[in-house]
Amino acid sequence: MSFRKAEKRKAKLRLAITGPAGSGKTYGALLIAQGLGGKIAMLDTENGSGDLYGDRFEYDICPITAPYDVRKYLQGIHDAEEAGYDVLIIDSLSHAWNGEGGLLDMQNRITESNAKMNSFSAWRKVTPWQNKLVEFILTSKCHIIATMRSKTDYIQIENERGKSEIKKVGLAPVQRDGIDYEFTTVFDVSTSHVTTVSKDRTSIFDEQAFQITEETGKNLKEWLDSGVDIEGQKNQQKQLWERYLAVCNNQQKEAQDAMWVVTGKTKFSDCSAEDIQALCDDIQRRENEL
């Protein structure tokens, strides 16, 4: 087991937007997606509400209707990646949990169909599907923005005129407890479209109350792109290896020896930026001599 120096790496967005019905979660997700840039796709479980903004944004939509089987979400994420979308909006993730055919429904059906199965033991069959959904979200090649409905409550407050009024507020998101821990950032949007942040690993939005704009997505993109480009490094290393193989008549041992002479190392993971540059210079020289 070995350790390496910690480094901030380029990353894909994992953003949750929670709020009561009518708070503007879908519209906010599209604004952020536009700020991130690239091709945008949406998985729409909200009975076509995703089409409402087709005149304001350029995006493609894939409806998901009941039953809200988790496998539909998994397939949607997979298909968005294969189609080359840069941003995927899941609107909404709540249906995978408590919609018709969702995970709570699955748990109830398992319990009712098996006399030997109690509600607790039924979760052993349901939890792996929830874990699979989280895994697909966390490992996706796309930026993921997932909206979730909030449980709502009503509280009595004093308005600016000193009079009491009833206000609708959002509470925990409608999803499995702890789902918010899986996201990099969690936006909580009120019915007045004011956003606060309950979790923010970016530190961009600390202690702020704001309205989501396209600039919000641009700020997130800047933070996401500020780290080391691991994917780019892997592609460069693959190309370097293929070039060494080409000049060494596809003899792997000869190619490895040639690279070792330059760096004194046998693995790309052990190479510094200076080592990689030295290899680039060496292979260019070798190719010129052919």
Side-chain angles (χ1 to χ4, degrees):
M1 188 177 296
S2 61
F3 293 87
R4 60 169 177 80
K5 188 179 185 305
E7 58 185 3
K8 184 182 180 303
R9 301 182 174 189
K10 285 190 175 183
K12 296 295 184 180
L13 181 63
R14 303 291 180 253
L15 172 68
I17 303 179
T18 75
S23 57
K25 299 183 293 296
T26 305
Y27 187 66
L30 284 164
L31 283 169
I32 292 169
Q34 187 155 288
L36 290 169
K39 291 175 59 180
I40 304 168
M42 178 187 293
L43 301 180
D44 177 25
T45 69
E46 298 284 357
N47 298 313
S49 67
D51 282 312
L52 296 176
Y53 306 107
D55 59 338
R56 304 185 193 183
F57 303 94
E58 187 73 27
Y59 62 102
D60 297 329
I61 194 164
C62 175
I64 295 180
T65 56
Y68 298 103
D69 191 312
V70 165
R71 285 171 290 191
K72 292 183 179 181
Y73 286 81
L74 302 181
Q75 189 65 51
I77 296 170
H78 173 269
D79 290 350
E81 294 175 355
E82 291 296 302
Y85 288 101
D86 300 288
V87 187
L88 176 62
I89 299 169
I90 303 175
D91 187 38
S92 118
L93 196 59
S94 292
H95 287 88
W97 180 248
N98 77 335
E100 179 189 341
L103 292 172
L104 284 180
D105 204 4
M106 179 191 292
Q107 189 263 356
N108 288 332
R109 283 186 281 108
I110 292 172
T111 303
E112 292 171 359
S113 63
N114 190 334
K116 297 180 180 179
M117 185 85 68
N118 59 38
S119 60
F120 180 79
S121 57
W123 283 112
R124 289 203 298 267
K125 294 183 177 291
V126 176
T127 297
W129 285 109
Q130 173 74 1
N131 293 342
K132 191 74 171 177
L133 177 59
V134 169
E135 177 191 346
F136 266 53
I137 290 172
L138 295 182
T139 60
S140 175
K141 299 174 185 177
C142 306
H143 296 295
I144 298 286
I145 304 172
T147 70
M148 290 182 280
R149 294 180 177 181
S150 292
K151 301 170 186 175
T152 56
D153 196 6
Y154 294 85
I155 60 173
Q156 184 171 300
I157 63 170
E158 186 176 291
N159 62 28
E160 63 275 8
R161 299 186 300 276
K163 295 184 178 181
S164 295
E165 66 177 37
I166 302 299
K167 183 177 180 180
K168 184 180 180 181
V169 295
L171 302 174
V174 178
Q175 243 288 338
R176 188 163 191 170
D177 288 345
I179 188 67
D180 47 326
Y181 297 128
E182 307 294 347
F183 291 89
T184 305
T185 303
V186 180
F187 286 175
D188 301 318
V189 187
S190 70
T191 51
S192 56
H193 313 306
V194 175
T195 300
T196 54
V197 181
S198 57
K199 175 188 177 183
D200 183 23
R201 289 177 179 163
T202 72
S203 299
I204 297 173
F205 309 100
D206 285 348
E207 299 181 2
Q208 294 184 36
F210 58 95
Q211 288 193 327
I212 294 173
T213 66
E214 186 177 332
E215 195 65 27
T216 309
K218 291 179 179 178
N219 291 336
L220 285 165
K221 183 72 161 58
E222 182 179 355
W223 182 85
L224 292 163
D225 288 346
S226 63
V228 176
D229 185 2
I230 298 300
E231 196 62 34
Q233 286 183 351
K234 289 180 179 178
N235 289 334
Q236 182 188 34
Q237 292 166 6
K238 180 182 178 183
Q239 291 171 7
L240 268 173
W241 175 243
E242 290 173 348
R243 290 169 69 186
Y244 268 101
L245 281 174
V247 300
C248 295
N249 299 314
N250 286 319
Q251 299 298 310
Q252 292 193 17
K253 181 66 167 59
E254 185 178 340
Q256 289 172 338
D257 290 344
M259 294 172 64
W260 184 86
V261 169
V262 177
T263 65
K265 296 164 185 171
T266 58
K267 295 189 296 185
F268 277 119
S269 58
D270 294 331
C271 290
S272 64
E274 290 76 14
D275 291 331
I276 296 296
Q277 185 58 55
L279 288 170
C280 290
D281 294 340
D282 179 64
I283 193 62
Q284 186 66 58
R285 177 185 60 78
R286 289 172 180 268
E287 289 171 340
N288 291 339
E289 291 175 353
L290 290 178

